[in-house]
Amino acid sequence: MSTTKKRNVSPIGSTEFTGIQIKEPATYAAGIPAVKIALQHAFKEMGVVKSLHVLPKMNQKEGFDCPGCAWPDPDSPSKLGEYCENGVKAIAEEATNKRVDKDFFAKYSVEELSMWSDYQIGKSGRLTEPMILRPGQIYYEPISWEGAYEVIAKELRAVNSPDEGIFYTSGRSSNEAAFLYGLFVRAFGTNNMPDCSNMCHESSGVALSQTLGIGKGSVKLEDFDKSEVVLVIGQNPGTNHPRMLTALQKCKENGGKVISINPLEEAGLIRFKNPQEIKGVISSGTALTDIHLQVKINQDVPLLKLIIKKLKRLDERQGDVFDHEFIKTYTQGYDKLLEDIDAYSETDLLALSGIEGDKINSVVELLAKKDKIIICWAMGLTQHKNGVDNIKESVNLLLLKGSLGKPGAGTCPVRGHSNVQGDRTVGIMHHVSAELNASIQNTFGFIPPDKEGLDTVHAIQAMHEKKAKVFVALGGNFLSAASDTEYTAEALQNCELTVAVSTKLNRSHLITGKTALILPTLGRSELDTKKGSPRFFTVENSMGKVHQSKGMLKPASDQLRSEPEIIGGIANAYFRGDHSVNWKELGENYELIREKIERVIKGFENLNARSKGTGFYLPNNVRDLDFSKLPNKKAQFSICSLPEHDLKEDEFILMTIRSHDQFNTTIYGLDDRYRGVYNERRVILMNKGDMSKLALEPLDIVDIRSCYNDRDRVAHNFLVIPYNIPSGNLASYFPETNVLIPYNHYAKESHTPISKSVVVRIEKR
Ligand SMILES: Nc1nc2c(c(=O)[nH]1)N[C@H]1C(S)=C(S)[C@@H](COP(=O)(O)OP(=O)(O)OC[C@H]3O[C@@H](n4cnc5c(=O)[nH]c(N)nc54)[C@H](O)[C@@H]3O)O[C@H]1N2
Ligand SMILES: Nc1nc2c(c(=O)[nH]1)N[C@H]1C(S)=C(S)[C@@H](COP(=O)(O)OP(=O)(O)OC[C@H]3O[C@@H](n4cnc5c(=O)[nH]c(N)nc54)[C@H](O)[C@@H]3O)O[C@H]1N2
Ligand code: SF4
Ligand SMILES: [Mo]
């Protein structure tokens, strides 16, 4: 084992302020400003000619899938353009003309780069060739592809057990890449496959699998046209899934109502000016939210219980508020649920929720009369200790109303990365599936491991405890995305080797194992050819539809390789031909990978043929009201307990959220336009009353502290902004605040970090 000097790198980077400007929060989303800002980003990063060439191909049938979020495209995309401001920013970031080449790495050491902000690091440009950081060195040097594969193969061969390898995936990989990667990791002999959904919708997957028998949502895009009520809980679509606003607009135009449940009144949910329509440009747009319930952070379970309790009372009088036929035919646990609801007092639940009673009554009246109800949610529900229960309580409401398996109704966990759902479907998971293992064995002739693997939080602990030594990442920015930044940094630095298959430079390339490799790969928008012929890959959107994506731009460098080729290359170097799979051949032939997916993964029959058209929906038992895999073959009601927060007088609950100008750890810019914050990310949004209690003035500088298990954690230098947020609650951006989140506090069952309910104190500097 090498004992080389530790590099003097910062896992956090610059904490300098950048020059804040504050305005009133916006009262609508999109409109002309969105188009203007999108084009500014595109022209700045890609130039005018490339921008005008690439944008019309995004989300079109023969084009490439937007590298932003997982919101689906309509079946017949408009020729005017099927993308949003943040989709344009995502593509501008990927197709930037700037390059991080060997000259860049010769100029800047990792020690120097690590002092930059994430914004500066990300804006450096696209990675162009494989690079290696050797033990004890602080400068990356070029290495050949074959040389890089050999370095990895050597370290993988040196482990004492395959479980010393960790293989992370971020949600931008194609189905083909993810399938091949999962296959290789299993052939290597471990299920240590943490992925970004462990930090994201894992709570949704767990809750939905247990209650409805599938870890995915049930609605399709067209359900929004038919829905009578859409509840948007803990989600900020104006920023994170902007084209969802078009779906909400259609719902409203057809007479539907929108209820938002959120500690913040997010601009995107107030009003939408659709830039695709003349009226969106010249008129005041469409009002979206009918009723906003300003719930306190993590008090959604009490709120939902209160709504259910009030509905129950109405049902006892009228008999038609709950769908008794549906409950009898399809569900189990109704009586127990009613008993649970009876055990709470309305006054207590109301006080916990922090909402005025009248507003809740209006919601109850509306829900009482309707049954085409959709519940949408994202990180506001999943990233709490009781994340799984938050979702189960939402499912309870849908089951009571019979709002599943019918047009205009169902579950809609809105996914993050554009193929995060697909990666899971084709086999990226740390759990063991006997069915999948048998299928792999039949198709490929080797026996996959049957020991549970490590998820994100446990992978970090294993590396920290030196129980894991090699960390490979297919995309993502593990260091900055994970919680407890300093602990995670130590964990990665304990590894012998860290490998990143990436498009752009990020902090995970700087805080590394003793040896580190950067393997640059093609982005979504880039032309992927084999012997001169273009090839495509497939992705699955948030609603379970699989379709193709074909890049078209000249690659950022002629040395880039596609993800499947890289995985095939690593596997080939590791096995040296001594395995039942021909890895090199498989990595280079996507049609062949799809043939294997057809055989191994249920629902993908005829993938090659079907992905060439407009795509196809994967099977979804909830749509067919088939609960045969669940106990008693019934959908399950759940008993959810109340969240527990025992706050001391000076403690607050902090949610760590996204600004309008970032994609997770990629910082597009320094503005959060809809919240009126410009040119600064080190801000903390605070209730005015709380500010007076702490004698804080606007733009005072504070440190944020958290204390878990006797360990103090601090995020320095934040500017206080008075904001419309419930008292006792705070909001700030990630990744800056990830230093505060303890690695060993996460949601029960799903192990999702508690990124939305961190207990903190505020200290004036
Ligand atoms: N432009 C852009 N698009 C993205 C991303 C991005 O970073 N930028 N990220 C992608 C990814 S990976 C994901 S997972 C999604 C994330 O999409 P979101 O989940 O919308 O993202 P967050 O900013 O985490 O916002 C969470 C929302 O939940 C609210 N909230 C927080 N705590 C609570 C709570 O306890 N209860 C309730 N009811 N609400 C709460 C917050 O006020 C905020 O509005 O977006 C995807 N799309
Ligand atoms: N405090 C706090 N922490 C959070 C969250 C939060 O709300 N609060 N949200 C969590 C969530 S929901 C998620 S999903 C995670 C995100 O965690 P990750 O997925 O790990 O992080 P990203 O920032 O999306 O990864 C960005 C990097 O991916 C690489 N990349 C981009 N496109 C491609 C591609 O096509 N191929 C390859 N190989 N690489 C590519 C680029 O190098 C880029 O720098 O963060 C989590 N962390
Ligand atoms: S809604 Fe999401 S997938 Fe669609 S264009 Fe915008 S960022 Fe891209
Ligand atoms: Mo996510």
Side-chain angles (χ1 to χ4, degrees):
M1 201 185 290
S2 44
T3 47
T4 37
K5 199 172 132 249
K6 241 185 128 184
R7 300 178 185 104
N8 184 18
V9 280
S10 162
I12 293 153
S14 167
T15 57
E16 299 279 303
F17 293 124
T18 40
I20 192 166
Q21 284 169 26
I22 302 286
K23 295 187 188 160
E24 282 299 308
T27 50
Y28 69 87
I32 293 291
V35 177
K36 205 176 119 199
I37 285 164
L39 290 178
Q40 275 169 1
H41 270 266
F43 294 167
K44 191 168 161 213
E45 295 291 330
M46 304 188 276
V48 176
V49 175
K50 194 162 157 190
S51 302
L52 298 179
H53 175 53
V54 72
L55 291 175
K57 296 286 188 320
M58 188 144 98
N59 294 335
Q60 299 290 332
K61 237 179 267 173
E62 280 297 307
F64 62 93
D65 188 46
C66 169
C69 75
W71 189 256
D73 311 320
D75 286 337
S76 323
S78 151
K79 289 282 168 227
L80 276 177
E82 281 297 347
Y83 48 81
C84 68
E85 174 190 338
N86 279 341
V88 174
K89 287 182 194 163
I91 193 65
E93 204 71 22
E94 178 178 296
T96 178
N97 292 331
K98 293 184 213 128
R99 298 289 176 265
V100 172
D101 54 15
K102 60 171 181 279
D103 296 338
F104 177 95
F105 283 115
K107 188 164 170 198
Y108 302 109
S109 71
V110 287
E111 292 184 347
E112 191 176 350
L113 288 170
S114 76
M115 296 312 298
W116 295 11
S117 68
D118 289 319
Y119 176 58
Q120 289 169 299
I121 293 173
K123 288 292 175 202
S124 306
R126 282 289 297 278
L127 297 158
T128 59
E129 61 188 294
M131 302 295 297
I132 184 163
L133 185 64
R134 298 190 191 272
Q137 300 299 309
I138 55 170
Y139 286 92
Y140 270 99
E141 310 155 25
I143 184 170
S144 70
W145 278 103
E146 302 315 314
Y149 297 154
E150 277 310 320
V151 170
I152 302 169
K154 189 168 156 249
E155 285 298 341
L156 289 180
R157 275 188 223 114
V159 295
N160 296 315
S161 131
D163 291 331
E164 289 184 355
I166 307 276
F167 299 86
Y168 176 68
T169 314
S170 167
R172 257 192 204 161
S173 295
S174 59
N175 290 334
E176 288 75 359
F179 176 79
L180 191 67
Y181 189 54
L183 190 70
F184 165 61
V185 176
R186 291 181 177 91
F188 173 66
T190 182
N191 284 307
N192 286 348
M193 277 179 274
D195 78 321
C196 68
S197 42
N198 297 152
M199 300 182 255
C200 182
H201 266 294
E202 193 73 42
S203 304
S204 310
V206 171
L208 293 173
S209 303
Q210 290 178 7
T211 53
L212 300 175
I214 182 169
K216 306 179 183 185
S218 71
V219 303
K220 294 183 178 174
L221 193 51
E222 61 255 33
D223 285 313
F224 283 81
D225 304 354
K226 298 166 198 145
S227 184
E228 293 166 319
V229 186
V230 179
L231 284 102
V232 183
I233 316 185
Q235 191 209 346
N236 178 21
T239 286
N240 297 315
H241 309 92
R243 280 188 318 142
M244 178 173 154
L245 302 188
T246 312
L248 293 177
Q249 179 193 18
K250 275 204 190 151
C251 170
K252 294 290 310 239
E253 285 169 357
N254 294 341
K257 301 281 181 197
V258 174
I259 297 167
S260 73
I261 300 183
N262 197 312
L264 303 181
E265 194 177 22
E266 303 283 23
L269 281 167
I270 303 176
R271 186 170 279 279
F272 173 47
K273 294 194 187 186
N274 189 341
Q276 278 184 329
E277 300 173 348
I278 294 293
K279 75 170 190 279
V281 175
I282 55 172
S283 79
S284 61
T286 310
L288 291 185
T289 294
D290 295 277
I291 308 169
H292 172 225
L293 299 181
Q294 191 167 23
V295 68
K296 281 190 187 268
I297 293 176
N298 199 210
Q299 295 302 335
D300 300 270
V301 166
L303 172 60
L304 289 164
K305 280 196 194 295
L306 182 55
I307 292 173
I308 292 174
K309 195 168 170 81
K310 285 173 181 272
L311 285 170
K312 172 176 177 266
R313 195 140 42 85
L314 276 183
D315 188 66
E316 282 157 3
R317 281 212 297 273
Q318 294 168 219
D320 61 352
V321 169
F322 291 161
D323 185 338
H324 293 280
E325 196 51 43
F326 182 94
I327 293 169
K328 205 164 78 201
T329 318
Y330 296 110
T331 74
Q332 170 167 302
Y334 175 62
D335 294 337
K336 286 219 170 87
L337 178 82
L338 296 192
E339 256 174 51
D340 172 65
I341 294 294
D342 286 343
Y344 295 96
S345 96
E346 288 199 14
T347 326
D348 291 350
L349 294 173
L350 185 64
L352 285 170
S353 76
I355 300 164
E356 293 156 35
D358 285 359
K359 278 198 159 183
I360 298 181
N361 289 339
S362 316
V363 171
V364 170
E365 273 165 37
L366 189 62
L367 292 174
K369 289 184 240 143
K370 312 288 183 191
D371 61 357
K372 291 182 186 154
I373 302 167
I374 294 177
I375 301 188
C376 304
W377 70 88
M379 298 305 100
L381 286 194
T382 62
Q383 295 176 331
H384 301 278
K385 200 152 267 184
N386 70 337
V388 173
D389 271 358
N390 278 334
I391 291 138
K392 285 186 173 172
E393 202 71 83
S394 308
V395 171
N396 282 342
L397 178 58
L398 292 174
L399 289 175
L400 288 167
K401 295 293 302 174
S403 299
L404 288 161
K406 63 170 73 152
T411 51
C412 184
V414 189
R415 300 279 165 175
H417 288 93
S418 56
N419 197 40
V420 63
Q421 188 159 310
D423 291 351
R424 264 298 169 86
T425 309
V426 300
I428 298 298
M429 58 182 164
H430 57 283
H431 295 303
V432 179
S433 155
E435 197 183 3
L436 177 65
N437 278 4
S439 197
I440 289 177
Q441 189 177 346
N442 283 339
T443 309
F444 295 100
F446 71 89
I447 303 173
D450 57 5
K451 180 180 159 202
E452 281 280 301
L454 299 172
D455 55 18
T456 295
V457 291
H458 292 99
I460 297 170
Q461 291 182 45
M463 290 187 278
H464 204 271
E465 291 163 14
K466 302 193 178 171
K467 290 180 185 153
K469 292 183 183 146
V470 181
F471 174 84
V472 181
L474 187 62
N477 180 3
F478 192 79
L479 171 86
S480 304
S483 30
D484 230 338
T485 314
E486 299 195 11
Y487 183 88
T488 301
E490 287 162 11
L492 290 166
Q493 285 166 328
N494 278 347
C495 289
E496 291 300 314
L497 173 69
T498 51
V499 181
V501 179
S502 311
T503 50
K504 295 202 71 180
L505 186 70
N506 64 49
R507 200 169 289 282
S508 297
H509 303 123
L510 311 175
I511 313 299
T512 64
K514 289 173 192 134
T515 303
L517 282 165
I518 296 176
L519 305 180
T521 191
L522 291 169
R524 278 286 164 85
S525 54
E526 288 169 327
L527 195 58
D528 183 352
T529 53
K530 173 79 184 160
K531 295 196 180 124
S533 313
R535 14 179 209 189
F536 70 87
F537 55 77
T538 60
V539 290
E540 175 186 343
N541 66 32
S542 195
M543 291 173 189
K545 191 176 181 197
V546 177
H547 61 92
Q548 65 160 283
S549 174
K550 199 195 264 173
M552 36 95 64
L553 286 178
K554 185 170 177 285
S557 139
D558 56 13
Q559 293 200 54
L560 303 185
R561 291 196 178 171
S562 75
E563 290 183 346
E565 281 169 355
I566 296 172
I567 299 156
I570 296 172
N572 185 52
Y574 176 73
F575 286 108
R576 297 168 168 155
D578 183 18
H579 195 258
S580 56
V581 179
N582 183 337
W583 295 98
K584 190 158 186 303
E585 182 194 28
L586 196 56
E588 288 173 356
N589 188 341
Y590 304 173
E591 297 261 331
L592 189 58
I593 302 180
R594 284 191 284 273
E595 264 174 42
K596 304 293 180 192
I597 297 179
E598 289 176 0
R599 286 175 61 183
V600 174
I601 312 283
K602 265 207 182 135
F604 280 85
E605 297 76 20
N606 264 331
L607 171 63
N608 262 318
R610 287 196 291 167
S611 56
K612 284 174 189 144
T614 50
F616 60 94
Y617 280 97
L618 290 170
N620 186 305
N621 62 293
V622 180
R623 286 178 194 151
D624 306 331
L625 289 175
D626 166 11
F627 302 111
S628 54
K629 284 204 183 136
L630 288 165
N632 269 341
K633 305 191 174 168
K634 297 281 170 77
Q636 306 286 310
F637 280 107
S638 319
I639 308 300
C640 309
S641 40
L642 297 184
E644 287 170 22
H645 294 288
D646 191 13
L647 295 189
K648 302 202 183 78
E649 175 113 54
D650 60 345
E651 287 177 337
F652 292 84
I653 298 200
L654 166 76
M655 53 178 174
T656 60
I657 55 176
R658 291 154 171 81
S659 84
H660 190 62
D661 243 1
Q662 71 184 88
F663 192 94
N664 302 336
T665 68
T666 301
I667 313 301
Y668 298 144
L670 301 175
D671 299 340
D672 194 1
R673 190 169 87 246
Y674 292 162
R675 300 195 184 107
V677 182
Y678 289 79
N679 204 39
E680 186 57 79
R681 289 184 53 83
R682 302 195 75 83
V683 297
I684 181 145
L685 312 184
M686 197 167 187
N687 175 289
K688 276 188 192 150
D690 290 338
M691 282 178 60
S692 330
K693 268 192 233 155
L694 297 190
L696 288 170
E697 296 292 329
L699 301 188
D700 269 354
I701 302 173
V702 297
D703 289 342
I704 316 172
R705 283 182 184 276
S706 73
C707 179
Y708 287 88
N709 307 96
D710 296 329
R711 183 161 159 184
D712 264 319
R713 293 168 175 83
V714 56
H716 292 289
N717 256 11
F718 286 79
L719 296 163
V720 179
I721 298 184
Y723 206 81
N724 176 11
I725 184 170
S727 76
N729 290 176
L730 300 167
S732 193
Y733 306 131
F734 95 97
E736 289 81 351
T737 43
N738 260 336
V739 285
L740 298 165
I741 307 176
Y743 68 91
N744 53 357
H745 284 247
Y746 38 76
K748 282 180 221 143
E749 293 185 274
S750 67
H751 303 174
T752 302
I754 51 162
S755 309
K756 294 288 185 279
S757 44
V758 195
V759 176
V760 297
R761 280 177 293 118
I762 296 296
E763 250 175 37
K764 195 170 167 180
R765 277 173 79 101

